[in-house]
Amino acid sequence: MRTGLFIDGKWVSPKLGGKLDVVNPATGKVFHEISAATEEDVDHAVTAARRAFNGEWPKMSGAQRGQYLRKIASRIRNRLDEISELEVLDNGKPLPEAKWDIGDAAGCFDFYAGLAEEYDENRVETICLPDARFTSKVAREPLGVVGAIIPWNYPLLMAAWKVAPALAAGCTIVLKPAEATSLTALELAAIAEEVELPPGVLNVITGIGSEAGQPLVDHPEVDKLAFTGSGAIGAKLMAAAAKSIKRVSLELGGKSPFLVFDDCDIEKAVEWVMFGIFWNQGQVCSATSRVLVHESIHARFLERLVEEAQKITIGDGLADGVLLGPLVSKIQLERVVGAIEKAREQGATVVTGGRRPAHLAEGYFVEPTVLTDVPLDSQAWKEEIFGPVVCVRAFASEEEAIALANDTRFGLAAALMTSDDARAERVAAALRAGIVWINCSQPGFTEAPWGGYKQSGIGRELGRWGFENYLETKQITAYVSDEPWAWYIK
């Protein structure tokens, strides 16, 4: 396991020698340490990225850059088991989920390798003008130096979502992973070193937000900030970026609804609702944590949801058969347990869960939790809990369900279950969210755009939309006529 900072193609120690403990959330015990960068290290990394951007990297063909991305994808796949286990030790998620994530990360690099190759053909577009004396074309060019700050819920996958399209576009990048889950980002740096990615193209700095993240946000040589995390931090980052008019893309939180209509298969609905809230311990920005169920099936649905939730195997993510691991940290456990207690105080009923599992004396575990009677003005209904906690409420009509679903400051995702195709299309069109799932919840594909409405963020990641995040657009117009140009009309 790596400990240093990866800057300008080399492993270096932080200028001030800072260290951070790495804790296994399944045990609460320290098992490693990593470097803690400060402003001096950030400046070193950004300077390296600027030098690389001023060099050959953005001048390479997309096909040449794509070759590096394909090599990175191949190395990730070759080490999938090893990297997945490291992800579990660092983050806590069950090993099958980690393997899924690491495989997706490799696929992300392959996908953007393909877009980099296509970029050579699509980089320049000719524009048809109404005046034949002029020709015009539009060129797409790499944006510059990117500062990327990623969260702890999908450590390597979130790194891939930003690093892969940025490199494909010809940008250089300084990646700052979450301090709680930095190990696989450091392994990505090691892989970049193995494939001989040019120095400075990818730099990885570890450390806490105030000492490493904030200097990256503030650095004058950073052209774009790409951030995934909480709305509160996203707002601060956006305000800081405004001082130097940095480009910004933000993927923030959500309080996503799941509408269950009375014509659906209840068993399938229960399965998808559980996947929508208990996958990754509910630590998912798009988690469908507000479940709205038609009143005619509400009682039966709730009964089955509770029965299935109580069957979930909880434990160390490396143990066979575990479906729900620990929360990522002691702080996150305290936040989730505190949110459950606050929900009780504000009138909600805890139908199941809400406690530490009896057989787990250490680690950051909480049972899958189902809340009912949740007041519409309560924090549990309105705010993101980011844990395995779901609120269930009945509705009487399609119009009421849509109104309740849209009554939120967030708009990342929404889901619905129905056997009526016309209703599915009608409701999907009415939901104010950037992602809508019909008869499912949480599937994500690298080819499709990811991002939200309202306070869930700005811009889109993934697909060609994620690639375009890292490009600038330049108009080049030429006067091609032999006629003298009249500067004014007499």
Side-chain angles (χ1 to χ4, degrees), residues 375-413:
L376 293 177
D377 60 352
S378 67
Q379 289 185 18
W381 186 259
K382 296 170 69 71
E383 301 299 328
E384 190 172 42
I385 294 176
F386 225 62
V389 183
V390 62
C391 303
V392 181
R393 185 181 186 88
F395 68 85
S397 67
E398 180 180 310
E399 293 73 21
E400 181 190 8
I402 292 169
L404 288 169
N406 287 337
D407 186 19
T408 171
R409 62 189 176 92
F410 298 108
L412 181 54

Side-chain angles (χ1 to χ4, degrees), residues 154-383:
Y154 291 94
L156 186 63
L157 186 56
M158 292 297 99
W161 279 23
K162 291 174 173 52
V163 173
L167 298 191
C171 295
T172 59
I173 190 165
V174 178
L175 174 67
K176 193 280 185 191
E179 53 263 36
T181 55
S182 297
L183 295 185
T184 50
L186 292 172
E187 292 307 310
L188 177 61
I191 288 171
E193 183 182 30
E194 289 173 14
V195 304
E196 299 181 337
L197 193 70
V201 170
L202 170 63
N203 307 272
V204 179
I205 54 168
T206 55
I208 64 174
S210 59
E211 296 182 1
Q214 192 63 50
L216 182 59
V217 170
D218 293 335
H219 202 290
E221 287 295 317
V222 171
D223 300 301
K224 174 185 171 63
L225 294 168
F227 173 78
T228 298
S230 72
I233 301 300
K236 292 179 181 178
L237 183 148
M238 191 173 178
K243 296 175 185 177
S244 55
I245 320 297
K246 287 180 172 65
R247 307 294 190 270
V248 174
S249 56
L250 303 174
E251 204 273 276
L252 307 176
K255 192 67 179 177
S256 300
F258 197 139
L259 286 61
V260 180
F261 290 95
D262 56 349
D263 60 353
C264 74
D265 183 315
I266 288 181
E267 296 304 312
K268 290 180 180 178
V270 167
E271 181 180 354
W272 279 112
V273 165
M274 290 179 62
F275 191 80
I277 189 59
F278 299 139
W279 184 263
N280 204 38
Q281 293 70 253
Q283 298 169 139
V284 183
C285 55
S286 59
T288 38
S289 57
R290 291 186 299 137
V291 176
L292 297 157
V293 186
H294 191 271
E295 59 187 9
S296 65
I297 62 169
H298 177 267
R300 177 59 180 158
F301 172 88
L302 183 61
E303 178 185 21
R304 289 293 297 121
L305 177 63
V306 169
E307 288 172 354
E308 293 303 314
Q310 291 173 345
K311 295 177 184 177
I312 293 174
T313 305
I314 310 170
D316 188 324
L318 291 176
D320 289 342
V322 165
L323 297 176
L324 193 82
L327 297 175
V328 72
S329 66
K330 183 179 180 181
I331 291 174
Q332 188 62 17
L333 175 65
E334 291 170 349
R335 287 173 179 163
V336 171
V337 171
I340 295 169
E341 291 308 310
K342 185 71 172 179
R344 277 196 179 102
E345 293 171 8
Q346 294 183 331
T349 300
V350 179
V351 182
T352 188
R355 301 178 300 275
R356 170 185 287 277
H359 68 288
L360 294 168
E362 59 183 13
Y364 310 131
F365 296 93
V366 64
E367 295 171 330
T369 303
V370 178
L371 304 178
T372 59
D373 308 315
V374 185
L376 293 177
D377 60 352
S378 67
Q379 289 185 18
W381 186 259
K382 296 170 69 71
E383 301 299 328

Side-chain angles (χ1 to χ4, degrees), residues 96-145:
E97 293 187 24
K99 288 184 176 182
W100 192 336
D101 294 349
I102 305 309
D104 277 355
C108 187
F109 278 96
D110 267 336
F111 175 80
Y112 283 107
L115 286 193
E117 291 157 359
E118 294 175 12
Y119 172 77
D120 291 333
E121 297 179 6
N122 303 326
R123 188 180 68 84
V124 178
E125 176 186 355
T126 299
I127 304 298
C128 183
L129 299 177
D131 191 331
R133 295 173 298 172
F134 297 87
T135 62
S136 188
K137 60 185 178 181
V138 173
R140 298 188 300 165
E141 300 179 347
L143 198 155
V145 174

Side-chain angles (χ1 to χ4, degrees), residues 69-123:
L69 270 65
R70 292 199 189 281
K71 289 178 182 177
I72 291 172
S74 177
R75 293 295 203 287
I76 292 173
R77 288 195 181 95
N78 290 344
R79 298 178 54 198
L80 189 143
D81 288 345
E82 173 196 350
I83 295 173
S84 298
E85 289 184 12
L86 196 60
E87 195 89 304
V88 175
L89 286 171
D90 209 15
N91 168 274
K93 66 180 64 190
L95 183 58
E97 293 187 24
K99 288 184 176 182
W100 192 336
D101 294 349
I102 305 309
D104 277 355
C108 187
F109 278 96
D110 267 336
F111 175 80
Y112 283 107
L115 286 193
E117 291 157 359
E118 294 175 12
Y119 172 77
D120 291 333
E121 297 179 6
N122 303 326
R123 188 180 68 84

